[in-house]
Amino acid sequence: MPELPEIVALEQFLSDHAVGAVVGRVDVAALSVLKTFDPPVTALSGRDVTGAGHWGKHLGLDCDGLWLITHLSRGGWLRWLDEPGSAPPKPGRGPLALRVHFFTREGATPAFDLTEAGTKKRLAVWITRDPRSVPGIARLGPDALEITEDRFAELLSGTSQRLKTVLADQSALAGVGNAYSDEILHAAKLSPFATASALGPEQVRGLFGAMREILTDAIARSAGQDAARLKGEKRSGLRVHARTGLPCPVCGDTVREVAYADKSFQYCPTCQTGGKILADRRMSRLLK
């Protein structure tokens, strides 16, 4: 799932490539992707693209006051096409959910696709005049790179949830998901199962600093990247997430995994839990 660094990079990519163009035809290949019906998606056609924006993991394109907002969810992505085909895509075939065509000042006719891999179709698109009318945006907590250290400390002290849960909760903190919460906790040398309100002042300070460092570094590495290369850039910078069984790049211990529901997270026992192996729900129903 794209998180704050990738969404910021995609926002910049759209600013560089789409702003100044005019929206042409909008092809909907999967009707289920549209979560609004008024204004209709056809209302975008003929409008100037005047900006791009983001809210947590939501990405938006401003079409002269009418926003196209998308949440790419777990399997979604944005793909830029310099020379798209002229024929409308056939609904229900392949990963394509929606295609937006453009006319540029230079006479080019590019487009971008919103695609979704896998069988669980969760990618969503809203057409709205007010991004805050999108339910997911209305529920967002403060942006992970805009929250102050004092407000971050208040957030942690006010909940008995585990750190992993708090960091990835979009209503508490916007933009951090499964991958970067793993990376942040590893950098801060804290257990994913540590209770948020039990952290001392130095631990809170270290966690806040790690969050800013991990996210700003990821944004810097993603800046200017072609949209097609962002996934690879994200993977190349990860130290523990999705690296189960590999050596920790800091201490050399084996990266471990905890799985739950349809997700999993990774951590380093030596760096984060004093060598303790956390219980995995595939092996035990008790999380210790």
Side-chain angles (χ1 to χ4, degrees):
M1 176 185 290
E3 298 176 42
L4 183 63
E6 294 78 50
I7 293 297
V8 170
L10 287 173
E11 176 191 0
Q12 185 58 57
F13 183 88
L14 289 177
S15 294
D16 293 342
H17 290 77
V19 170
V22 176
V23 180
R25 192 177 76 235
V26 180
D27 298 325
V28 180
L31 285 175
S32 61
V33 76
L34 288 176
K35 305 305 177 185
T36 53
F37 62 90
D38 184 24
V41 69
T42 54
L44 295 171
S45 298
R47 287 178 173 263
D48 294 329
V49 180
T50 53
H54 79 275
W55 303 262
K57 300 177 189 178
H58 293 75
L59 177 67
L61 192 68
D62 184 358
C63 302
D64 196 21
L66 194 61
W67 285 87
L68 183 154
I69 307 288
T70 185
H71 189 286
L72 296 170
S73 194
R74 192 168 183 176
W77 197 247
L78 183 149
R79 181 178 62 178
W80 185 263
L81 306 170
D82 287 320
E83 297 181 358
S86 57
K90 294 183 179 180
R93 301 187 67 175
L96 179 63
L98 183 139
R99 175 173 291 167
V100 181
H101 296 262
F102 301 100
F103 300 101
T104 72
R105 297 187 184 109
E106 296 76 24
T109 56
F112 74 69
D113 286 352
L114 295 179
T115 65
E116 186 169 26
T119 58
K120 294 184 178 180
K121 301 303 181 183
R122 297 172 179 169
L123 189 151
V125 172
W126 297 262
I127 309 299
T128 180
R129 295 180 178 87
D130 179 9
R132 294 288 169 183
S133 69
V134 174
I137 294 177
R139 292 193 297 266
L140 288 177
D143 187 279
L145 282 178
E146 294 178 0
I147 191 172
T148 65
E149 185 174 337
D150 288 344
R151 179 69 187 91
F152 184 68
E154 290 176 6
L155 170 66
L156 297 181
S157 67
T159 178
S160 60
Q161 290 184 311
R162 293 181 170 121
L163 285 180
K164 172 71 178 180
T165 302
V166 177
L167 289 178
D169 181 355
Q170 299 305 293
S171 65
L173 194 68
V176 177
N178 195 29
Y180 287 112
S181 58
D182 283 356
E183 297 299 300
I184 291 165
L185 289 168
H186 179 255
K189 299 186 181 299
L190 291 170
S191 169
F193 287 167
T195 301
S197 59
L199 296 190
E202 288 302 316
Q203 290 175 309
V204 172
R205 188 170 298 113
L207 181 58
F208 180 77
M211 180 175 69
R212 293 194 61 84
E213 179 181 354
I214 292 294
L215 294 179
T216 54
D217 177 67
I219 289 172
R221 286 187 290 103
S222 300
Q225 290 285 345
D226 178 299
R229 296 183 177 141
L230 282 174
K231 287 184 180 180
E233 184 58 46
K234 178 178 182 177
R235 286 192 293 267
S236 71
L238 299 176
R239 295 184 176 186
V240 291
H241 183 75
R243 290 176 53 85
T244 303
L246 297 175
C248 168
V250 174
C251 71
D253 194 1
T254 301
V255 173
R256 305 282 181 156
E257 176 178 287
V258 171
Y260 54 102
D262 60 345
K263 297 181 180 179
S264 64
F265 68 80
Q266 290 77 39
Y267 68 99
C268 170
T270 294
C271 290
Q272 297 175 252
T273 63
K276 181 180 179 180
I277 307 301
L278 300 176
D280 189 328
R281 276 190 173 175
R282 290 173 302 187
M283 304 293 292
S284 169
R285 295 182 67 182
L286 294 176
L287 295 178
K288 299 179 180 179

